[in-house]
Coordinates of all heavy atoms in Angstrom, one line a residue:
M1 N -38.1 38.3 -61.0 CA -37.3 38.6 -62.2 C -36.4 37.4 -62.5 O -35.6 36.9 -61.6 CB -36.5 39.9 -62.1 CG -36.1 40.5 -63.3 SD -35.0 42.0 -63.0 CE -33.5 41.4 -63.5
E2 N -36.3 37.1 -63.7 CA -35.5 35.9 -64.2 C -34.0 36.4 -64.2 O -33.7 37.5 -64.7 CB -35.8 35.6 -65.6 CG -35.3 34.2 -66.0 CD -35.5 33.9 -67.5 OE1 -36.4 34.6 -68.0 OE2 -34.9 32.9 -68.1
V3 N -33.1 35.6 -63.6 CA -31.8 35.9 -63.6 C -31.1 35.4 -64.8 O -31.1 34.1 -65.1 CB -31.0 35.4 -62.3 CG1 -29.6 35.6 -62.3 CG2 -31.7 35.9 -61.0
V4 N -30.4 36.2 -65.6 CA -29.8 35.8 -66.8 C -28.3 35.9 -66.6 O -27.8 37.0 -66.2 CB -30.3 36.6 -68.0 CG1 -29.5 36.2 -69.3 CG2 -31.8 36.5 -68.1
C5 N -27.5 34.9 -67.0 CA -26.1 35.1 -66.9 C -25.6 35.9 -68.0 O -26.0 35.7 -69.2 CB -25.5 33.7 -67.0 SG -23.7 33.6 -67.2
Q6 N -24.8 36.9 -67.7 CA -24.3 37.8 -68.7 C -23.6 37.1 -69.8 O -23.6 37.6 -71.0 CB -23.3 38.8 -68.0 CG -24.0 40.1 -67.5 CD -22.9 41.1 -66.9 OE1 -21.9 41.3 -67.7 NE2 -23.0 41.4 -65.7
L7 N -22.8 36.1 -69.4 CA -21.9 35.5 -70.4 C -22.8 34.6 -71.3 O -22.5 34.4 -72.5 CB -20.8 34.7 -69.8 CG -19.8 35.6 -69.1 CD1 -18.7 34.8 -68.4 CD2 -19.1 36.5 -70.1
C8 N -23.8 33.9 -70.7 CA -24.7 33.1 -71.6 C -25.5 34.0 -72.5 O -25.7 33.7 -73.7 CB -25.6 32.3 -70.7 SG -24.8 31.0 -69.8
Q9 N -25.9 35.1 -72.0 CA -26.6 36.0 -72.8 C -25.8 36.6 -73.9 O -26.2 36.8 -75.1 CB -27.1 37.2 -72.0 CG -28.3 38.0 -72.5 CD -28.7 39.0 -71.5 OE1 -27.9 39.6 -70.8 NE2 -30.0 39.4 -71.5
A10 N -24.5 36.9 -73.7 CA -23.6 37.5 -74.6 C -23.4 36.6 -75.8 O -22.9 37.0 -76.9 CB -22.3 37.9 -74.0
D11 N -23.7 35.3 -75.6 CA -23.5 34.3 -76.6 C -24.2 34.7 -77.9 O -23.8 34.4 -79.0 CB -24.1 32.9 -76.1 CG -23.7 31.8 -77.0 OD1 -22.6 31.7 -77.4 OD2 -24.6 31.1 -77.4
A12 N -25.3 35.4 -77.8 CA -26.1 35.8 -79.0 C -25.7 37.1 -79.5 O -26.1 37.4 -80.7 CB -27.6 35.8 -78.5
I13 N -25.2 38.0 -78.7 CA -25.0 39.4 -79.2 C -23.6 39.9 -79.6 O -23.4 40.9 -80.2 CB -25.6 40.4 -78.1 CG1 -24.9 40.1 -76.8 CG2 -27.1 40.2 -78.0 CD1 -25.2 41.3 -75.8
T14 N -22.6 39.2 -78.9 CA -21.3 39.7 -79.1 C -20.6 39.5 -80.4 O -20.8 38.3 -80.9 CB -20.3 39.2 -78.0 OG1 -21.1 39.2 -76.8 CG2 -19.1 40.1 -77.7
T15 N -19.9 40.4 -81.0 CA -19.1 40.1 -82.2 C -17.8 39.3 -81.9 O -17.2 39.6 -80.9 CB -18.6 41.5 -82.8 OG1 -19.7 42.3 -82.8 CG2 -18.1 41.3 -84.3
R16 N -17.7 38.3 -82.6 CA -16.6 37.3 -82.3 C -15.4 37.5 -83.1 O -15.4 37.8 -84.3 CB -17.1 35.9 -82.6 CG -18.5 35.6 -82.1 CD -18.5 35.5 -80.6 NE -19.9 35.5 -80.1 CZ -20.6 34.4 -80.0 NH1 -20.0 33.3 -80.3 NH2 -21.8 34.5 -79.6
Y17 N -14.2 37.2 -82.4 CA -13.0 37.0 -83.2 C -12.9 35.6 -83.6 O -12.3 35.2 -84.6 CB -11.8 37.2 -82.2 CG -11.6 38.7 -81.8 CD1 -11.7 39.0 -80.5 CD2 -11.3 39.7 -82.7 CE1 -11.4 40.4 -80.0 CE2 -11.0 40.9 -82.3 CZ -11.1 41.3 -81.0 OH -10.9 42.6 -80.5
F18 N -13.5 34.7 -82.8 CA -13.4 33.2 -83.0 C -14.6 32.6 -82.3 O -15.2 33.1 -81.4 CB -12.1 32.7 -82.2 CG -12.0 31.2 -82.3 CD1 -11.4 30.6 -83.3 CD2 -12.4 30.4 -81.2 CE1 -11.3 29.2 -83.4 CE2 -12.3 29.1 -81.3 CZ -11.8 28.5 -82.4
D19 N -15.0 31.5 -82.9 CA -16.2 30.8 -82.5 C -16.1 29.3 -82.9 O -16.0 29.0 -84.1 CB -17.4 31.4 -83.1 CG -18.7 31.0 -82.4 OD1 -18.8 29.9 -81.9 OD2 -19.7 31.8 -82.5
D20 N -16.2 28.5 -82.0 CA -16.3 26.9 -82.3 C -17.3 26.3 -81.3 O -18.0 26.9 -80.6 CB -14.9 26.3 -82.4 CG -14.3 26.1 -81.1 OD1 -14.9 26.4 -80.0 OD2 -13.1 25.5 -81.1
E21 N -17.3 25.0 -81.3 CA -18.3 24.3 -80.4 C -18.0 24.4 -79.0 O -18.9 24.2 -78.1 CB -18.5 22.9 -80.9 CG -17.3 21.9 -80.7 CD -16.2 22.1 -81.7 OE1 -16.5 22.8 -82.8 OE2 -15.1 21.7 -81.5
L22 N -16.7 24.7 -78.6 CA -16.3 24.8 -77.3 C -16.4 26.1 -76.6 O -16.9 26.2 -75.5 CB -14.8 24.3 -77.2 CG -14.2 24.3 -75.8 CD1 -14.7 23.2 -74.9 CD2 -12.6 24.2 -75.9
C23 N -16.0 27.2 -77.4 CA -16.0 28.4 -76.8 C -16.0 29.5 -77.8 O -16.1 29.3 -79.1 CB -14.6 28.6 -76.0 SG -13.2 28.4 -77.2
W24 N -16.1 30.8 -77.4 CA -16.0 31.9 -78.3 C -15.0 32.9 -77.7 O -14.8 33.0 -76.5 CB -17.3 32.6 -78.6 CG -18.3 32.8 -77.4 CD1 -19.2 32.0 -77.0 CD2 -18.3 34.0 -76.8 NE1 -19.9 32.7 -75.9 CE2 -19.4 33.9 -75.8 CE3 -17.7 35.3 -76.9 CZ2 -19.7 34.9 -74.9 CZ3 -18.0 36.3 -76.0 CH2 -19.0 36.1 -75.0
V25 N -14.5 33.7 -78.6 CA -13.5 34.8 -78.2 C -14.0 36.1 -78.8 O -14.3 36.1 -80.0 CB -12.1 34.5 -78.7 CG1 -11.1 35.7 -78.2 CG2 -11.6 33.1 -78.2
A26 N -14.2 37.1 -77.9 CA -14.7 38.4 -78.4 C -14.1 39.4 -77.5 O -13.4 39.2 -76.5 CB -16.2 38.4 -78.2
E27 N -14.3 40.7 -77.9 CA -13.8 41.8 -77.0 C -14.8 41.9 -75.9 O -16.0 42.0 -76.0 CB -13.8 43.1 -77.9 CG -13.3 44.2 -77.1 CD -13.1 45.5 -78.0 OE1 -12.1 45.5 -78.8 OE2 -13.9 46.4 -77.8
C28 N -14.3 42.0 -74.7 CA -15.1 42.1 -73.5 C -15.7 43.5 -73.5 O -15.0 44.5 -73.6 CB -14.2 41.9 -72.2 SG -15.1 42.3 -70.7
E29 N -17.0 43.6 -73.2 CA -17.6 44.9 -73.2 C -17.2 45.8 -72.1 O -17.2 47.0 -72.3 CB -19.2 44.7 -73.2 CG -19.8 44.1 -74.4 CD -21.3 44.1 -74.4 OE1 -21.8 44.3 -73.3 OE2 -21.9 43.9 -75.5
S30 N -16.9 45.3 -71.0 CA -16.5 46.1 -69.9 C -15.0 46.4 -69.9 O -14.6 47.5 -69.5 CB -16.9 45.6 -68.5 OG -16.8 44.2 -68.5
C31 N -14.1 45.5 -70.4 CA -12.7 45.7 -70.3 C -12.1 46.1 -71.7 O -11.0 46.6 -71.7 CB -12.0 44.4 -69.8 SG -12.7 43.7 -68.3
S32 N -12.8 46.0 -72.7 CA -12.2 46.2 -74.1 C -11.0 45.5 -74.3 O -9.9 46.0 -74.9 CB -12.1 47.7 -74.3 OG -13.3 48.4 -74.2
V33 N -10.9 44.2 -73.9 CA -9.7 43.3 -74.3 C -10.3 42.0 -74.7 O -11.5 41.7 -74.4 CB -8.7 43.2 -73.0 CG1 -8.2 44.5 -72.6 CG2 -9.5 42.4 -71.9
P34 N -9.5 41.2 -75.4 CA -10.1 39.9 -75.9 C -10.4 39.0 -74.7 O -9.6 39.0 -73.6 CB -8.9 39.3 -76.7 CG -8.1 40.4 -77.1 CD -8.1 41.5 -76.0
M35 N -11.5 38.2 -74.8 CA -11.9 37.4 -73.7 C -12.5 36.1 -74.3 O -13.1 36.1 -75.3 CB -13.1 38.2 -72.9 CG -13.9 37.3 -72.0 SD -15.1 38.2 -71.2 CE -16.4 38.3 -72.4
V36 N -12.1 34.9 -73.7 CA -12.6 33.7 -74.2 C -13.7 33.3 -73.2 O -13.5 33.4 -71.9 CB -11.5 32.6 -74.3 CG1 -10.8 32.3 -72.9 CG2 -12.0 31.3 -75.0
V37 N -14.8 32.7 -73.7 CA -15.9 32.3 -72.9 C -16.3 30.9 -73.3 O -16.5 30.6 -74.5 CB -17.1 33.2 -73.0 CG1 -18.3 32.8 -72.2 CG2 -16.7 34.7 -72.6
W38 N -16.4 30.0 -72.3 CA -16.9 28.7 -72.5 C -18.3 28.7 -72.9 O -19.1 29.5 -72.4 CB -16.7 27.9 -71.2 CG -16.9 26.4 -71.3 CD1 -16.8 25.6 -72.4 CD2 -17.3 25.5 -70.2 NE1 -16.9 24.3 -72.1 CE2 -17.3 24.2 -70.7 CE3 -17.6 25.7 -68.9 CZ2 -17.6 23.1 -70.0 CZ3 -17.9 24.6 -68.1 CH2 -17.9 23.3 -68.6
K39 N -18.7 27.9 -73.8 CA -20.1 27.8 -74.3 C -21.0 27.2 -73.3 O -22.3 27.3 -73.4 CB -20.2 27.2 -75.7 CG -19.8 28.2 -76.8 CD -20.3 27.8 -78.1 CE -19.9 28.8 -79.2 NZ -20.3 28.4 -80.5
K40 N -20.6 26.5 -72.3 CA -21.4 25.9 -71.3 C -21.4 26.8 -70.1 O -20.5 27.5 -69.8 CB -21.0 24.5 -70.9 CG -21.2 23.5 -72.0 CD -20.8 22.1 -71.5 CE -20.8 21.2 -72.7 NZ -19.9 20.0 -72.4
H41 N -22.5 26.8 -69.4 CA -22.6 27.6 -68.1 C -22.0 26.8 -67.0 O -22.6 25.8 -66.6 CB -24.0 28.1 -67.8 CG -24.1 28.9 -66.6 ND1 -23.8 30.3 -66.6 CD2 -24.2 28.6 -65.3 CE1 -23.9 30.7 -65.3 NE2 -24.1 29.7 -64.6
G42 N -20.8 27.2 -66.5 CA -20.2 26.5 -65.4 C -18.8 27.0 -65.2 O -18.3 27.7 -66.0
A43 N -18.3 26.8 -64.0 CA -17.1 27.4 -63.6 C -15.8 26.5 -63.9 O -14.7 26.9 -63.9 CB -17.1 27.9 -62.1
F44 N -16.1 25.1 -64.0 CA -15.0 24.2 -64.0 C -15.0 23.3 -65.3 O -15.4 22.1 -65.1 CB -15.1 23.4 -62.8 CG -15.0 24.2 -61.5 CD1 -16.1 24.4 -60.8 CD2 -13.9 24.8 -61.1 CE1 -16.1 25.2 -59.6 CE2 -13.8 25.6 -60.0 CZ -14.9 25.8 -59.2
P45 N -14.7 23.8 -66.4 CA -14.5 22.9 -67.6 C -13.3 21.9 -67.3 O -12.5 22.2 -66.4 CB -14.1 23.8 -68.7 CG -14.0 25.2 -68.1 CD -14.2 25.1 -66.7
D46 N -13.3 20.8 -67.9 CA -12.1 19.9 -67.7 C -10.8 20.5 -68.2 O -10.8 21.4 -69.0 CB -12.4 18.5 -68.2 CG -12.3 18.4 -69.8 OD1 -11.3 18.7 -70.3 OD2 -13.4 18.2 -70.4
P47 N -9.7 20.0 -67.6 CA -8.4 20.8 -67.8 C -8.0 20.8 -69.3 O -7.5 21.7 -69.7 CB -7.5 19.8 -67.1 CG -8.3 19.2 -66.0 CD -9.6 19.0 -66.6
A48 N -8.4 19.8 -70.1 CA -8.1 19.8 -71.5 C -8.8 20.9 -72.2 O -8.3 21.6 -73.1 CB -8.4 18.5 -72.2
A49 N -10.1 21.1 -71.8 CA -10.9 22.3 -72.5 C -10.3 23.6 -72.0 O -10.2 24.5 -72.8 CB -12.3 22.0 -72.0
V50 N -9.9 23.7 -70.7 CA -9.4 24.9 -70.3 C -8.1 25.3 -71.1 O -8.0 26.4 -71.6 CB -9.0 24.8 -68.7 CG1 -8.1 26.1 -68.3 CG2 -10.2 24.8 -67.9
E51 N -7.3 24.3 -71.3 CA -6.0 24.5 -72.0 C -6.3 24.9 -73.5 O -5.7 25.9 -74.0 CB -5.3 23.1 -72.1 CG -3.8 23.3 -72.4 CD -3.1 22.0 -72.3 OE1 -3.3 21.2 -71.4 OE2 -2.3 21.6 -73.3
Q52 N -7.3 24.2 -74.1 CA -7.7 24.6 -75.4 C -8.2 26.1 -75.5 O -7.8 26.8 -76.4 CB -8.8 23.7 -75.9 CG -8.8 23.5 -77.5 CD -9.8 22.5 -77.9 OE1 -10.1 21.5 -77.1 NE2 -10.6 22.8 -78.9
M53 N -9.1 26.5 -74.6 CA -9.6 27.8 -74.6 C -8.6 28.8 -74.3 O -8.6 29.9 -75.0 CB -10.8 27.9 -73.5 CG -12.0 27.1 -73.9 SD -13.4 27.4 -72.8 CE -13.1 26.2 -71.6
V54 N -7.7 28.6 -73.4 CA -6.6 29.5 -73.1 C -5.7 29.7 -74.3 O -5.3 30.8 -74.7 CB -5.8 29.1 -71.9 CG1 -4.5 30.0 -71.8 CG2 -6.6 29.3 -70.6
Q55 N -5.5 28.6 -75.1 CA -4.7 28.7 -76.2 C -5.3 29.5 -77.3 O -4.7 30.3 -78.0 CB -4.4 27.2 -76.8 CG -3.3 27.2 -77.7 CD -2.9 25.8 -78.2 OE1 -3.2 24.8 -77.5 NE2 -2.4 25.7 -79.4
R56 N -6.6 29.3 -77.5 CA -7.4 30.2 -78.5 C -7.2 31.6 -78.2 O -7.0 32.5 -79.0 CB -8.8 29.8 -78.5 CG -9.2 28.5 -79.1 CD -9.2 28.5 -80.6 NE -9.4 27.1 -81.1 CZ -8.4 26.4 -81.6 NH1 -7.2 26.9 -81.7 NH2 -8.6 25.2 -82.0
L57 N -7.4 31.9 -76.9 CA -7.3 33.3 -76.5 C -5.9 33.8 -76.7 O -5.8 35.0 -77.2 CB -7.7 33.4 -75.0 CG -7.6 34.8 -74.3 CD1 -8.5 35.7 -75.0 CD2 -7.8 34.8 -72.8
D58 N -5.0 33.1 -76.4 CA -3.5 33.5 -76.7 C -3.4 33.8 -78.1 O -2.7 34.8 -78.5 CB -2.6 32.3 -76.2 CG -1.2 32.7 -76.2 OD1 -0.8 33.5 -75.3 OD2 -0.4 32.3 -77.2
E59 N -3.9 33.0 -79.0 CA -3.7 33.2 -80.5 C -4.4 34.5 -80.9 O -3.8 35.3 -81.7 CB -4.4 32.0 -81.3 CG -3.6 30.7 -81.2 CD -4.4 29.5 -81.7 OE1 -5.5 29.7 -82.3 OE2 -4.0 28.4 -81.5
I60 N -5.6 34.7 -80.4 CA -6.3 35.9 -80.8 C -5.6 37.1 -80.2 O -5.4 38.2 -80.9 CB -7.8 35.9 -80.3 CG1 -8.5 34.7 -80.8 CG2 -8.5 37.2 -80.6 CD1 -8.7 34.6 -82.3
A61 N -5.1 37.0 -79.0 CA -4.5 38.2 -78.4 C -3.2 38.5 -79.1 O -2.9 39.7 -79.1 CB -4.2 37.8 -76.9
R62 N -2.5 37.6 -79.6 CA -1.3 37.9 -80.4 C -1.7 38.7 -81.6 O -0.9 39.6 -81.9 CB -0.6 36.6 -80.8 CG 0.2 36.0 -79.8 CD 0.6 34.6 -80.2 NE 0.9 33.8 -79.1 CZ 2.1 33.8 -78.4 NH1 3.0 34.5 -78.8 NH2 2.2 33.0 -77.3
L63 N -2.7 38.5 -82.2 CA -3.2 39.2 -83.4 C -3.6 40.6 -83.0 O -3.3 41.6 -83.7 CB -4.4 38.5 -84.1 CG -4.1 37.2 -84.7 CD1 -5.4 36.5 -85.3 CD2 -3.1 37.2 -85.8
V64 N -4.4 40.7 -81.9 CA -4.9 41.9 -81.4 C -3.9 42.9 -80.8 O -3.8 44.1 -81.2 CB -6.0 41.7 -80.3 CG1 -6.5 43.1 -79.7 CG2 -7.2 41.0 -81.0
F65 N -3.0 42.3 -80.1 CA -1.9 43.2 -79.4 C -0.7 43.3 -80.2 O 0.1 44.3 -79.9 CB -1.6 42.6 -78.0 CG -2.7 42.8 -77.1 CD1 -3.3 41.6 -76.4 CD2 -3.2 44.0 -76.7 CE1 -4.3 41.7 -75.5 CE2 -4.3 44.1 -75.7 CZ -4.8 43.0 -75.2
G66 N -0.5 42.4 -81.2 CA 0.7 42.6 -82.0 C 2.0 42.4 -81.2 O 2.1 41.5 -80.5
E67 N 2.8 43.5 -81.2 CA 4.1 43.4 -80.5 C 3.9 43.7 -79.0 O 4.8 43.6 -78.2 CB 5.1 44.5 -81.1 CG 5.5 44.2 -82.5 CD 6.3 42.9 -82.6 OE1 7.3 42.8 -81.9 OE2 5.9 42.0 -83.3
R68 N 2.7 44.2 -78.6 CA 2.5 44.6 -77.2 C 2.5 43.4 -76.3 O 1.7 42.4 -76.7 CB 1.2 45.4 -77.0 CG 1.3 46.8 -77.5 CD 0.0 47.5 -77.5 NE -0.5 47.8 -76.2 CZ -1.7 48.1 -75.8 NH1 -2.7 48.0 -76.7 NH2 -2.1 48.4 -74.6
P69 N 3.1 43.3 -75.2 CA 3.0 42.1 -74.4 C 1.7 42.1 -73.6 O 1.1 43.1 -73.4 CB 4.2 42.3 -73.4 CG 4.5 43.8 -73.4 CD 4.1 44.3 -74.7
F70 N 1.3 40.8 -73.4 CA 0.0 40.8 -72.7 C 0.1 39.5 -71.7 O 1.0 38.7 -71.8 CB -1.2 40.5 -73.7 CG -1.1 39.3 -74.5 CD1 -1.6 38.1 -74.0 CD2 -0.4 39.3 -75.7 CE1 -1.5 37.0 -74.7 CE2 -0.3 38.2 -76.5 CZ -0.8 36.9 -76.0
R71 N -0.9 39.4 -70.9 CA -1.0 38.2 -70.0 C -2.4 37.7 -70.0 O -3.3 38.4 -70.2 CB -0.5 38.6 -68.5 CG -1.5 39.5 -67.9 CD -0.9 40.0 -66.6 NE -1.9 41.0 -66.1 CZ -2.9 40.7 -65.3 NH1 -3.2 39.5 -65.1 NH2 -3.7 41.7 -64.9
I72 N -2.5 36.3 -69.7 CA -3.8 35.8 -69.7 C -4.2 35.8 -68.3 O -3.6 35.4 -67.3 CB -3.7 34.3 -70.1 CG1 -3.2 34.1 -71.5 CG2 -5.1 33.6 -70.0 CD1 -4.0 34.7 -72.6
D73 N -5.4 36.4 -68.0 CA -6.0 36.7 -66.7 C -7.2 35.7 -66.5 O -8.2 35.9 -67.2 CB -6.4 38.1 -66.5 CG -7.1 38.4 -65.2 OD1 -7.0 37.6 -64.3 OD2 -7.6 39.5 -65.1
R74 N -7.1 34.7 -65.7 CA -8.1 33.8 -65.5 C -8.9 34.0 -64.2 O -9.8 33.2 -63.9 CB -7.5 32.3 -65.5 CG -7.1 31.9 -66.9 CD -6.5 30.5 -66.9 NE -7.3 29.6 -66.1 CZ -6.9 28.3 -65.9 NH1 -5.8 27.9 -66.4 NH2 -7.7 27.5 -65.1
V75 N -8.7 35.1 -63.6 CA -9.5 35.5 -62.4 C -10.9 35.9 -62.9 O -11.1 36.8 -63.6 CB -8.8 36.6 -61.5 CG1 -9.7 36.9 -60.3 CG2 -7.5 36.1 -61.1
M76 N -11.9 35.3 -62.2 CA -13.3 35.6 -62.7 C -14.0 36.4 -61.7 O -14.6 35.9 -60.7 CB -14.1 34.3 -63.0 CG -13.3 33.4 -64.0 SD -14.3 32.0 -64.6 CE -14.4 31.0 -63.2
R77 N -13.7 37.7 -61.8 CA -14.2 38.6 -60.7 C -15.7 38.9 -60.7 O -16.4 38.7 -59.7 CB -13.5 39.9 -60.8 CG -12.0 39.9 -60.5 CD -11.3 41.2 -60.7 NE -9.8 41.1 -60.8 CZ -9.2 40.7 -61.8 NH1 -9.7 40.5 -62.9 NH2 -7.8 40.5 -61.7
Q78 N -16.2 39.2 -61.8 CA -17.6 39.7 -61.9 C -18.6 38.6 -62.1 O -19.7 38.6 -61.6 CB -17.8 40.8 -63.0 CG -17.0 42.0 -62.6 CD -17.3 43.2 -63.6 OE1 -18.1 43.0 -64.5 NE2 -16.5 44.1 -63.6
I79 N -18.1 37.5 -62.8 CA -19.0 36.4 -63.1 C -18.3 35.2 -62.7 O -17.8 34.4 -63.5 CB -19.5 36.4 -64.6 CG1 -20.1 37.8 -64.9 CG2 -20.5 35.3 -64.8 CD1 -20.2 38.0 -66.4
P80 N -18.3 34.8 -61.4 CA -17.4 33.6 -60.9 C -18.0 32.3 -61.3 O -17.2 31.3 -61.2 CB -17.4 33.9 -59.4 CG -18.6 34.7 -59.1 CD -18.9 35.5 -60.3
D81 N -19.2 32.2 -61.8 CA -19.8 30.9 -62.0 C -19.9 30.5 -63.5 O -20.5 29.5 -63.9 CB -21.2 30.7 -61.4 CG -22.2 31.8 -61.9 OD1 -21.7 32.8 -62.6 OD2 -23.4 31.7 -61.7
H82 N -19.2 31.2 -64.3 CA -19.1 30.9 -65.7 C -17.7 31.1 -66.2 O -17.2 32.3 -66.2 CB -20.1 31.8 -66.5 CG -20.3 31.4 -68.0 ND1 -21.5 31.3 -68.6 CD2 -19.4 30.9 -68.8 CE1 -21.3 30.9 -69.8 NE2 -20.1 30.6 -70.0
F83 N -17.1 30.0 -66.7 CA -15.7 30.1 -67.0 C -15.4 31.1 -68.2 O -16.0 31.0 -69.3 CB -15.1 28.7 -67.5 CG -13.6 28.8 -67.9 CD1 -12.7 28.6 -66.9 CD2 -13.3 29.0 -69.2 CE1 -11.3 28.7 -67.3 CE2 -11.9 29.1 -69.5 CZ -11.0 29.0 -68.6
H84 N -14.5 32.0 -67.9 CA -14.0 32.9 -68.9 C -12.6 33.4 -68.6 O -12.2 33.2 -67.4 CB -14.9 34.1 -69.1 CG -15.1 34.9 -67.9 ND1 -15.7 34.5 -66.8 CD2 -14.6 36.1 -67.6 CE1 -15.7 35.5 -65.9 NE2 -15.0 36.5 -66.3
A85 N -11.8 33.9 -69.5 CA -10.5 34.5 -69.2 C -10.2 35.7 -70.1 O -10.8 35.7 -71.3 CB -9.4 33.4 -69.5
H86 N -9.5 36.6 -69.6 CA -9.1 37.8 -70.4 C -7.7 37.8 -70.8 O -6.9 37.2 -70.2 CB -9.4 39.1 -69.5 CG -10.7 39.4 -69.2 ND1 -11.4 38.8 -68.1 CD2 -11.6 40.4 -69.7 CE1 -12.7 39.4 -68.0 NE2 -12.8 40.3 -68.9
A87 N -7.4 38.5 -71.9 CA -6.0 38.7 -72.3 C -5.8 40.2 -72.1 O -6.5 41.1 -72.7 CB -5.7 38.4 -73.8
R88 N -5.0 40.5 -71.1 CA -4.8 41.9 -70.7 C -3.4 42.4 -71.1 O -2.4 41.7 -70.9 CB -5.0 42.1 -69.2 CG -6.3 41.7 -68.8 CD -6.6 42.2 -67.3 NE -7.8 41.6 -66.7 CZ -9.0 42.0 -66.9 NH1 -9.2 43.1 -67.7 NH2 -10.1 41.4 -66.4
P89 N -3.3 43.7 -71.6 CA -2.0 44.2 -72.0 C -1.1 44.3 -70.7 O -1.7 44.5 -69.6 CB -2.2 45.6 -72.5 CG -3.7 45.9 -72.3 CD -4.4 44.6 -71.9
R90 N 0.1 44.0 -70.8 CA 1.0 44.0 -69.6 C 1.7 45.3 -69.6 O 2.3 45.7 -70.5 CB 2.0 42.9 -69.8 CG 2.8 42.5 -68.6 CD 3.9 41.6 -69.0 NE 3.5 40.2 -69.1 CZ 3.5 39.5 -68.0 NH1 3.9 39.9 -66.8 NH2 3.2 38.2 -68.1
P91 N 1.5 46.0 -68.4 CA 2.2 47.3 -68.4 C 3.8 47.2 -68.6 O 4.4 46.2 -68.1 CB 2.0 47.8 -66.9 CG 0.8 46.9 -66.4 CD 0.9 45.7 -67.2
T92 N 4.4 48.1 -69.3 CA 5.7 47.9 -69.7 C 6.7 47.9 -68.5 O 7.8 47.3 -68.6 CB 6.2 49.1 -70.7 OG1 5.7 50.3 -70.1 CG2 5.6 48.9 -72.1
W93 N 6.3 48.5 -67.4 CA 7.2 48.5 -66.2 C 7.3 47.1 -65.6 O 8.1 46.9 -64.7 CB 6.8 49.6 -65.3 CG 5.4 49.5 -64.7 CD1 5.0 48.7 -63.6 CD2 4.3 50.1 -65.1 NE1 3.7 48.8 -63.4 CE2 3.2 49.7 -64.3 CE3 3.9 51.0 -66.2 CZ2 1.9 50.1 -64.5 CZ3 2.7 51.5 -66.4 CH2 1.6 51.0 -65.5
L94 N 6.4 46.2 -66.0 CA 6.5 44.8 -65.4 C 7.3 43.9 -66.3 O 7.5 42.8 -66.0 CB 5.1 44.3 -65.4 CG 4.3 44.8 -64.2 CD1 2.9 44.1 -64.2 CD2 4.9 44.6 -62.8
Q95 N 8.0 44.4 -67.4 CA 8.7 43.5 -68.3 C 9.9 43.0 -67.5 O 10.6 43.8 -66.9 CB 9.1 44.3 -69.5 CG 7.9 44.7 -70.4 CD 7.0 43.4 -70.6 OE1 7.5 42.4 -71.2 NE2 5.8 43.4 -70.1
Ligands
ZN101 ZN1 -13.9 42.0 -68.9
ZN102 ZN1 -23.5 31.5 -68.0

């Protein structure tokens, strides 16, 4: 069976908040929070690209969460070999 990367595959199907030549931002299907995904398959984009992608995610998350605080989560638990990051709402007791 051919192994298909979920994030590479999602490139064609997910509804986007944002899309450019570097990355896309969409709602994560499993977490239901905004997620930025690098358009190349790999775990280590160069630092400038990472910075740009995190900034995009931050911009979208501000629109999505409004006044609700959130944090950028760069831990890649389920798909460790393809760069992505989530914006997750921050529980109010952590303020
Ligand atoms: Zn997710
Ligand atoms: Zn991939």
Side-chain angles (χ1 to χ4, degrees):
M1 201 183 106
E2 193 185 347
V3 177
V4 179
C5 168
Q6 270 183 55
L7 292 176
C8 290
Q9 199 178 33
D11 190 47
I13 56 166
T14 321
T15 316
R16 314 292 168 85
Y17 292 118
F18 175 86
D19 192 330
D20 72 1
E21 66 285 344
L22 179 69
C23 62
W24 50 270
V25 181
E27 184 175 283
C28 173
E29 286 188 350
S30 38
C31 311
S32 299
V33 298
M35 169 177 76
V36 66
V37 178
W38 192 24
K39 281 201 173 171
K40 288 182 192 158
H41 183 86
F44 304 103
D46 68 67
V50 170
E51 197 177 316
Q52 205 179 323
M53 287 189 274
V54 168
Q55 196 178 336
R56 288 282 173 255
L57 178 61
D58 188 76
E59 287 166 13
I60 303 295
R62 280 169 206 278
L63 297 175
V64 171
F65 291 119
E67 295 295 300
R68 287 172 73 198
F70 64 89
R71 65 189 173 85
I72 303 295
D73 177 10
R74 285 177 48 183
V75 179
M76 305 193 291
R77 291 176 193 85
Q78 292 185 12
I79 308 168
D81 58 347
H82 188 143
F83 180 87
H84 62 288
H86 292 79
R88 300 189 190 280
R90 191 190 276 274
T92 47
W93 60 85
L94 287 178
Q95 294 312 297

